[in-house]
Amino acid sequence: MAKIIISALLCLAMFGSLALGSPECPSPNGRFASGDQCDAYTECQDGVPVEKLCPDGLLFHQRTKSTGECTYAPYSTCKERTRLQPANGTEECPRQFGFYPNGDETKCGVYRNCAHGVASLTKCPEGLAFNEETYQCDWPDLVASCNAEAYLGFNCPASELVDGAAPEVDVSPEGELRYYRHPQTCKKYFVCVNGHPRLYNCGKYLAFNAQSKLCDFYSKVPECYALLKEKQKLKAERKALL
């Protein structure tokens, strides 16, 4: 009887300690953020902890209490875990993995997608710039490393003076909006937000109407309609010469 009681107590102690967990393994099995290092984690199997590192450039994200994975910086939650492993970069990439600006503030629509230390160049949609903070393509004026004017090739004209003085600028998120047709094509236009340009495109069959500040049929925009007709005429003449 005594042996049965002792065995039961030993089992209770063993399973009880597993249930309570330890600082390294809060649960017997799972992955857990490790100390103050954001790209390190502890993998536990049956209560046995093994310290591991994410690939260079990726960070550990604690998805649930016992699950997590290595992912890109904007998709992880490090909070006070700010320490990282030393960078193991290459000529092309600051770290083995990640998305990085190309380093030219006048060509900020192109960024480097690094995997295993090899970079492939990726383009944002026309008129947008790569934002390293969010890993997304964003308006150029919202990207600290981008010169919106040089990148888009357009400088917003200064606001007209009111009673001899410059008007106050609305710096709210919506900002002060002014519209200008693209100097080289009727299909595109710029919206100046707080003095910085953003490029918009009307698409193939529409033109920007400076009066309505909307994309419109070419027939409703006389100057663009005339250019379209001239272009069609030249195209027909070239075709006839073939």
Side-chain angles (χ1 to χ4, degrees), residues 29-75:
N29 296 288
R31 290 180 173 185
F32 309 94
S34 182
D36 65 346
Q37 188 166 342
C38 194
D39 54 5
Y41 63 97
T42 303
E43 187 165 331
C44 295
Q45 292 186 351
D46 298 325
V48 179
V50 177
E51 294 294 327
K52 294 191 174 185
L53 278 176
C54 291
D56 179 38
L58 302 183
L59 304 179
F60 183 74
H61 175 59
Q62 191 76 57
R63 185 176 292 277
T64 68
K65 288 183 179 180
S66 60
T67 63
E69 68 279 327
C70 295
T71 186
Y72 292 104
Y75 314 122

Side-chain angles (χ1 to χ4, degrees), residues 126-240:
E126 184 185 28
L128 299 183
F130 176 67
N131 191 330
E132 192 177 11
E133 300 288 325
T134 61
Y135 274 28
Q136 294 178 344
C137 293
D138 208 342
W139 296 116
D141 58 289
L142 300 181
V143 178
S145 60
C146 186
N147 183 326
E149 287 73 17
Y151 170 49
L152 297 177
F154 184 81
N155 287 279
C156 293
S159 300
E160 294 181 7
L161 298 180
V162 177
D163 295 329
E168 290 186 10
V169 176
D170 177 6
V171 293
S172 66
E174 294 77 18
E176 176 199 34
L177 304 180
R178 290 181 286 133
Y179 296 75
Y180 300 93
R181 182 180 296 126
H182 195 289
Q184 296 175 346
T185 174
C186 286
K187 297 175 183 177
K188 301 174 185 178
Y189 62 100
F190 292 101
V191 177
C192 289
V193 182
N194 295 327
H196 297 291
R198 295 180 182 181
L199 179 65
Y200 287 78
N201 196 323
C202 287
K204 190 173 182 180
Y205 300 107
L206 298 176
F208 176 68
N209 189 326
Q211 299 300 316
S212 64
K213 297 183 176 58
L214 297 171
C215 294
D216 208 341
F217 294 109
Y218 270 83
S219 57
K220 300 288 183 68
V221 188
E223 61 273 30
C224 289
Y225 188 64
L227 290 172
L228 177 65
K229 285 299 181 182
E230 183 64 24
K231 186 177 179 181
Q232 290 173 340
K233 180 183 175 183
L234 292 173
K235 186 177 180 181
E237 288 174 352
R238 283 196 300 266
K239 190 174 181 181

Side-chain angles (χ1 to χ4, degrees), residues 89-95 100 112 114 117-120:
T90 64
E91 241 179 78
E92 299 175 291
C93 301
R95 289 184 178 270
Y100 304 96
R112 290 172 289 167
C114 290
V118 179
S120 58

Side-chain angles (χ1 to χ4, degrees), residues 66-88:
S66 60
T67 63
E69 68 279 327
C70 295
T71 186
Y72 292 104
Y75 314 122
S76 63
T77 306
C78 287
K79 295 183 179 178
E80 69 280 356
R81 295 185 299 119
T82 56
R83 192 162 60 89
L84 298 174
Q85 63 184 290
N88 181 27

